[in-house]
Amino acid sequence: MITIALSKGRIFDETAPLLAAAGIHSTEEPGSSRKLILGTNREDVRLIIVRASDVPTYVQYGAADIGIAGKDVLDEHGGDGLYQPLDLQIAKCKMMVAVRKGFDYEAVIRQGARLKVVTKYVKTAREHFAEKGMHVDLIKLYGSMELGPLVGLADAIVDLVSTGGTLKANNLEAVEHVGDVSSRLIVNQASLKLKRSALQPILDDFTRAVAMNVDTNK
Ligand code: ADP
Ligand code: MG
């Protein structure tokens, strides 16, 4: 049995065409089904639906052989026990620093003042500001980071931005690019050795499907 871990929502939706290219079709929609284990047209392949940030954990411990997770999530996890062969070029967005409109971020940097930051991505944020030699107090949140600067919890947020609509709606603006994010295919390192003959064709199909998409995007 090959178990593939992914999260519902955008990652499931954008992964479905890649799975289809590998001849794998879910027998149910995770949106309408409450099942956490979904069968596929292939008797030897099943999908498990987990929280986006839990995907690397399932793959690390071998409860799933393959997973699809954002680079944001993988950077926070650290990547232990994971082989990361493929950038799927889906769910693309950017990790950004954002502040309330009018907040003088450049002045904070110039003066070497301490910056209060809320984020779900504590490790990524810590590394980013350390590299810049900035002093920061990081506060971990689990969602709605945009609220932090509006109610005085923080000066800045580190969060994912795609259109910028949420920032704009909350009177925030992006001031710094931390990194580009897209979803990656990850494989359990032991599975890759033990189930190579079953896994390799799926990885090859994914690789081909991604390459074709990249070409049509040009
Ligand atoms: P959750 O709310 O559980 O974190 P999401 O569906 O919002 O789940 O995010 C899952 C993954 O999709 C993230 O880890 C990230 O890689 C990617 N992602 C998140 N927000 C965006 C976005 N605005 N545009 C594109 N990709 C995104
Ligand atoms: Mg979200």
Side-chain angles (χ1 to χ4, degrees), residues 54 66 68 72 83 103 109 117 122 128-129 132 146 155 166 174 185 192 196 199-200:
D54 290 334
I66 294 176
I68 315 290
D72 53 327
Y83 172 61
F103 180 86
I109 296 176
V117 180
V122 173
H128 173 74
F129 292 115
K132 293 182 52 103
E146 296 85 0
D155 306 310
T166 309
L185 186 141
L192 193 60
R196 180 128 220 167
L199 289 177
Q200 195 62 53

Side-chain angles (χ1 to χ4, degrees), residues 40-156:
T40 70
N41 60 312
R42 275 178 57 171
E43 236 162 50
D44 63 332
V45 179
R46 63 179 180 176
L47 311 177
I48 61 173
I49 304 300
V50 305
R51 191 74 200 259
S53 44
D54 290 334
V55 167
T57 307
Y58 278 87
V59 178
Q60 172 185 7
Y61 292 103
D65 304 295
I66 294 176
I68 315 290
K71 183 169 188 295
D72 53 327
V73 162
L74 292 170
D75 286 347
E76 287 296 307
H77 173 272
D80 267 7
L82 304 177
Y83 172 61
Q84 188 184 302
L86 203 53
D87 181 348
L88 300 178
Q89 305 280 346
I90 59 168
K92 284 186 181 179
C93 51
K94 291 179 191 305
M95 187 72 73
M96 305 286 290
V97 181
V99 299
R100 218 167 355 96
K101 269 202 189 102
F103 180 86
D104 196 345
Y105 182 67
E106 291 306 316
V108 171
I109 296 176
R110 264 197 321 275
Q111 292 157 10
R114 283 193 91 82
L115 186 76
K116 269 198 293 180
V117 180
V118 289
T119 186
K120 185 158 98 175
Y121 304 102
V122 173
K123 181 167 178 272
T124 301
R126 188 187 301 117
E127 287 168 4
H128 173 74
F129 292 115
E131 222 165 81
K132 293 182 52 103
M134 287 175 67
H135 302 289
V136 293
D137 295 316
L138 292 171
I139 301 171
K140 164 114 186 173
L141 287 180
Y142 292 88
S144 302
M145 269 75 84
E146 296 85 0
L147 192 57
L150 305 181
V151 295
L153 185 60
D155 306 310

